[in-house]
Amino acid sequence: MTRLLPVLALLLVGALPSWVAAAPQPPGAPAAETVQPQNVSARVEPRQVRIGDPFLYEVVITHPKEHRYELVLPKETGDFEVLDQTRQRKDGPDSATTTIGVRMSAFSLGLVQVPALTFDVATPDGPKKFSLPGREVEVTSTLPPDADGQGADLFDYQPPQEVPIRSWRLVLAVLGTLAAGLLAWALYRWWKNRPKHVVVVPQQPLDVRTRKALDALKAEDLPARGHAKDFYFRLSEIVRGYLGERYGFEALECTSSELMASLRRLPTPGLPEDALMRFVSESDMVKYARAESSPESCRDALAFGYALIDKTYVPPPPQAPANAAAPHVQ
């Protein structure tokens, strides 16, 4: 009896279909960790299908109840396209049956072989693999038998073609763009030519502006902070700006000698020429010769600025109002 057991095992293995016993492993799967189900059947329905039409590839696997089969869809399907898959399991007293259906479509004419399927198998001993080779399916053309004579190639699959459709969308888009441009141009012209309400602030008198500049310089207290040179630069600009506007010449661009020469050629009633000459000389010494200046000297120079305004500024004569009535002449 013990001698008959190996012979019976060989007979059982030989009774299995050859495509089950010699199922190839998918690329990348390990040679070990494989499992064989108790029974496998596969069918293609229909066996003959037109190119591009779907067909069903159904696999029925009988296996122990403690095993679970899950299909792993192939990454490379060649001339086939996988549309969807279904899975059903039915448990019996001693075994279970798992039915897996894969809907595909083929895009190659003639007898073509469905890609091999790989299954992940969960077993009590750990995860394993099972591979099933594909079955053949006959793929026929969608053209009728007399396609060559009737020119029926129009009924076959065609690449996408451009079909002209009459539409006013482009015309309306162009008109809308032109209308928007005209509206923007009209708004720009209106904004550019709109009445501008400019508030004209009358300029303050020369003496007021000059005193404010002297007050601001005094508030900074530059000599006390060791900036006597900056103080004399600022004070000289204020005094020269006042003289130039008061007597009508460009005083800021004149040298010291040109400044005094210009003032001597102009009528300058009340101008303290000697004091102005001393101020100009002292300013030049501090600004350009790096002479030292005490806070008292700076205070006296600032006082000269105020005194210069008091002695030389003459308020302009009042202007008659524009709407004043003209004198009546008899």
Side-chain angles (χ1 to χ4, degrees):
M1 184 67 182
T2 56
R3 293 181 179 180
L4 293 176
L5 289 177
V7 176
L8 291 175
L10 290 174
L11 292 175
L12 288 175
V13 172
L16 288 174
S18 60
W19 51 270
V20 174
Q25 297 295 329
E33 302 295 333
T34 60
V35 67
Q36 292 292 338
Q38 297 173 353
N39 188 26
V40 178
S41 65
R43 68 186 182 92
V44 176
E45 183 65 31
R47 292 297 305 273
Q48 187 180 79
V49 63
R50 294 190 306 176
I51 187 169
D53 288 351
F55 64 90
L56 177 65
Y57 182 29
E58 185 180 72
V59 180
V60 181
I61 305 174
T62 303
H63 55 84
K65 293 178 63 175
E66 61 271 14
H67 291 190
R68 179 179 177 85
Y69 281 70
E70 295 286 350
L71 174 63
V72 180
L73 290 177
K75 296 181 179 179
E76 299 293 337
T77 58
D79 295 328
F80 291 85
E81 179 182 3
V82 177
L83 303 177
D84 57 53
Q85 64 164 315
T86 59
R87 179 184 178 279
Q88 295 180 351
R89 176 184 171 118
K90 184 177 180 180
D91 291 344
D94 301 323
S95 62
T97 301
T98 298
T99 303
I100 295 176
V102 183
R103 290 182 68 250
M104 299 181 176
S105 57
F107 296 94
S108 180
L109 296 175
L111 285 176
V112 292
Q113 188 164 347
V114 178
L117 299 182
T118 302
F119 299 86
D120 287 336
V121 186
T123 69
D125 299 331
K128 298 182 182 300
K129 295 283 187 180
F130 170 65
S131 297
L132 180 67
R135 304 296 296 273
E136 287 186 345
V137 59
E138 183 179 359
V139 182
T140 62
S141 174
T142 58
L143 299 178
D146 57 347
D148 294 337
Q150 301 295 330
D153 54 339
L154 296 176
F155 297 96
D156 202 354
Y157 287 96
Q158 297 290 327
Q161 296 182 2
E162 183 177 354
V163 179
I165 300 176
R166 178 177 295 178
S167 175
W168 294 97
R169 184 177 301 174
L170 179 60
V171 177
L172 294 177
V174 173
L175 292 178
T177 304
L178 291 177
L182 291 175
L183 179 60
W185 178 79
L187 289 175
Y188 169 76
R189 292 297 301 272
W190 172 83
W191 179 262
K192 185 177 180 180
N193 299 326
R194 75 189 188 282
K196 298 178 177 62
H197 301 283
V198 180
V199 178
V200 179
V201 179
Q203 190 179 35
Q204 293 180 330
L206 174 61
D207 63 327
V208 175
R209 287 183 279 118
T210 307
R211 289 182 189 278
K212 284 186 176 181
L214 294 173
D215 293 342
L217 179 61
K218 180 180 180 180
E220 292 186 30
D221 198 12
L222 293 176
R225 293 187 290 158
H227 301 295
K229 183 177 180 180
D230 296 338
F231 169 81
Y232 272 99
F233 267 108
R234 294 270 301 278
L235 181 58
S236 178
E237 288 181 358
I238 295 173
V239 172
R240 283 171 173 266
Y242 169 79
L243 293 172
E245 188 173 347
R246 170 66 181 84
Y247 297 112
F249 71 103
E250 185 56 56
L252 291 174
E253 299 299 329
C254 294
T255 63
S256 299
S257 58
E258 291 174 346
L259 175 68
M260 299 306 299
S262 298
L263 289 173
R264 292 189 184 102
R265 290 194 299 266
L266 297 171
T268 56
L271 178 67
E273 184 175 341
D274 295 339
L276 177 60
M277 190 64 187
R278 287 194 300 271
F279 168 76
V280 171
S281 299
E282 183 180 353
S283 298
D284 290 344
M285 292 295 294
V286 176
K287 291 190 297 181
Y288 304 116
R290 299 182 180 180
E292 297 293 335
S293 179
S294 63
E296 292 77 12
S297 299
C298 296
R299 186 168 52 251
D300 294 342
L302 185 63
F304 167 76
Y306 286 105
L308 180 64
I309 301 172
D310 295 335
K311 294 179 179 180
T312 59
Y313 183 73
V314 178
Q319 296 181 354
N323 57 354
H328 180 67
V329 179
Q330 294 183 350

